[in-house]
Amino acid sequence: MQSNYLLTSEHMQNEKIVPKWVSEEYHKYREVVMKPTFPCFFGRTGEERGELRYSYISHSDWSHLPRTLSTFLQLVKEPPLVRRGLFIFVEPENKEQPLSYYRNYFWDVLQYLNRHDPKKWPDHTPADPNDFLWSFCFDDESIFAFGNAPAYKQRITRNLGKSMVIGIQPRRIFEGLKGTEPNGINSREAVRKRVEAWDKLPKHPDISHYGDPTHHEWKQFFIGDDCEPITSKCPFHAVNTNK
């Protein structure tokens, strides 16, 4: 039985370590991310350097996920700062589902993590998603999460294969690249221009930067496959909190 679910690129390609579907979907993901024109050069560089980490969940078992995420967050804290991301591969559906299905699944995973968070919701981040300073939190760390799914047909930068792939980025990795800092502004705009070129669509209206008082961060976690702003309420509710 698999005991360590925080995996490297080498692990993801070894079918003695991971199920066959995991290695197959990882190869599809890597084919996309390693293209020279892939918009997120941070993701491509991290993949090249072996700095990213991976995990997977089946539909019937998410039990390792809280422990895996805690282990990853501890790794990120180790000096020197490495801009690591964690990519969680979800067992593919037998038949591709609509985008709404994957969005609900994504939020169910975050809700599950919140229910099994080893720590209470931290004081440094509002628990209400309607607050513009809200961010998902786990193990006292603020996190940016984003969903990629096979149902994306126009925003193809969000389609990485048959698996839904959940990206996890602790906010501490954006040190020096915050939304109001020059390096952050420049790098963000460069990535977004490349995304627009790939998708042949303008930036989604719910995309902004953390700390923008006109912005709801949760909407950026799982954007639409179009140019329409999300008008629904946030499905996430922090239950592991003293607030």
Side-chain angles (χ1 to χ4, degrees):
M1 177 180 289
Q2 179 75 28
S3 58
N4 179 9
Y5 284 83
L6 185 62
L7 307 169
T8 65
S9 175
E10 289 76 14
H11 294 147
M12 293 290 281
Q13 299 176 73
N14 188 340
E15 291 184 15
K16 293 181 180 180
I17 296 176
V18 299
K20 183 178 180 180
W21 72 262
V22 173
S23 63
E24 289 177 345
E25 291 306 314
Y26 172 74
H27 281 293
K28 293 174 186 175
Y29 152 90
R30 185 174 169 84
E31 284 178 7
V32 175
V33 172
M34 291 303 293
K35 290 181 179 179
T37 57
F38 185 68
C40 183
F41 37 77
F42 293 115
R44 179 161 51 84
T45 300
E47 183 71 27
E48 287 177 339
R49 295 176 177 173
E51 295 171 344
L52 304 181
R53 292 296 181 267
Y54 315 89
S55 194
Y56 66 91
I57 53 174
S58 66
H59 295 313
S60 61
D61 186 9
W62 301 356
S63 60
H64 75 85
L65 202 52
R67 183 178 68 256
T68 298
L69 182 51
S70 287
T71 303
F72 170 71
L73 293 174
Q74 288 301 314
L75 174 65
V76 173
K77 292 177 185 177
E78 294 178 3
L81 173 66
V82 178
R83 301 188 196 280
R84 299 186 190 274
L86 171 64
F87 291 87
I88 302 165
F89 288 71
V90 178
E91 180 182 5
E93 304 296 328
N94 291 329
K95 181 181 179 182
E96 185 181 305
Q97 300 297 312
L99 194 66
S100 59
Y101 172 89
Y102 297 103
R103 177 182 280 119
N104 291 337
Y105 201 124
F106 169 90
W107 285 108
D108 285 346
V109 170
L110 294 194
Q111 196 71 66
Y112 178 88
L113 284 167
N114 178 242
R115 289 198 302 271
H116 295 86
D117 193 335
K119 297 178 182 176
K120 297 294 184 181
W121 194 272
D123 291 335
H124 58 65
T125 302
D128 181 3
N130 291 317
D131 192 305
F132 74 95
L133 290 176
W134 177 89
S135 177
F136 180 69
C137 292
F138 185 85
D139 206 357
D140 204 39
E141 289 286 321
S142 296
I143 289 170
F144 178 71
F146 58 101
N148 307 274
Y152 280 106
K153 303 304 180 185
Q154 298 187 86
R155 297 192 177 277
I156 55 175
T157 47
R158 297 277 181 144
N159 187 328
L160 301 175
K162 293 181 180 179
S163 276
M164 177 169 70
V165 181
I166 299 174
I168 299 285
Q169 296 176 318
R171 292 213 174 274
R172 66 172 59 237
I173 72 170
F174 299 118
E175 183 178 327
L177 296 173
K178 294 177 182 177
T180 55
E181 296 174 331
N183 287 343
I185 293 170
N186 293 336
S187 61
R188 188 175 63 251
E189 290 307 309
V191 169
R192 288 175 181 172
K193 286 180 181 179
R194 289 159 66 98
V195 169
E196 290 180 358
W198 256 52
D199 292 348
K200 296 180 174 58
L201 283 177
K203 181 185 75 173
H204 192 278
D206 288 321
I207 297 289
S208 186
H209 67 269
Y210 182 71
D212 177 354
T214 67
H215 171 61
H216 287 119
E217 181 77 350
W218 69 267
K219 294 183 179 182
Q220 192 166 314
F221 279 23
F222 205 112
I223 61 173
D225 194 28
D226 49 32
C227 294
E228 297 299 320
I230 295 172
T231 57
S232 59
K233 293 182 179 179
C234 180
F236 177 81
H237 176 68
V239 295
N240 192 358
T241 176
N242 288 322
K243 296 182 179 182

